[in-house]
Amino acid sequence: MAGLVRWLLGDVVQDIVGIAVGDWVHEMRIRNLLVLRNHTVGILKIRELALENRQVDPEFVRPLLKAAAIESDDEMLKLWAELLVTSLDPSKAALVRRSFIELLQQLDAIDARVLKSISQRMGMKSRQEYGVSPLELEEELGFHHFHIVVSLQHLERLRCVRACAYAGCKLRFDVDNVGKEVLRALGPL
């Protein structure tokens, strides 16, 4: 396992910051990859997928593993595992894009939760209701208003959500096309 990890991730950190810090970072990357592996195995079981004879696109998997290796947030590691499993599923592999790796790297856990929450809320709303307000997200997720607003602004810059309507003075948000495609690639969340 260590040989595979070294081949995939290299020793860039050791070369840059030296052996003492590099060893610690190297151990952290290995630990994160083991957590990713555990999440991946669990998702494979839930989706009832087997890995026997699966072709893996190294141009996709290598950057995904590199990105996941430096991710310390468990919630985000679950998203990396979801994306990896989707890439291994022959019926869904076409949903996965390399650009989704770059996008996930730019998300914080709060961004992922906000995006998922908007998507779920929009699925439950009637067609007359339009968008989700920051206040609704604040109440559901328990984050301070400014954290939600900053997350929405970040997701909007990434084209994952869009401001969709003004209800009185209240801005509302919906999932944009990029966000919809990323959520589809992440599978049933």
Side-chain angles (χ1 to χ4, degrees), residues 13 18 42 46-47 58-59 91 113 119-120 126 134 149 165-167 176:
V13 174
I46 290 169
R47 294 193 194 179
E59 294 294 321
S91 69
R113 290 180 69 191
S119 177
Q120 290 166 349
S126 70
V149 170
Y166 286 91
D176 205 350

Side-chain angles (χ1 to χ4, degrees), residues 9 12 30-31 44 50 55 57 62 70 76 88 111 123 129 132 138 140 148 151 162 170 172-173 176:
L9 303 176
V12 175
I30 290 173
R31 186 186 71 241
L44 286 167
Q55 292 290 25
D57 178 6
R62 187 173 183 181
I70 60 171
M76 292 303 296
L88 298 171
D111 301 328
E129 295 181 90
V132 177
E138 180 183 343
E140 177 185 335
I148 297 292
S151 182
R162 64 177 172 244
K170 296 183 181 177
R172 302 180 74 77
F173 290 85
D176 205 350

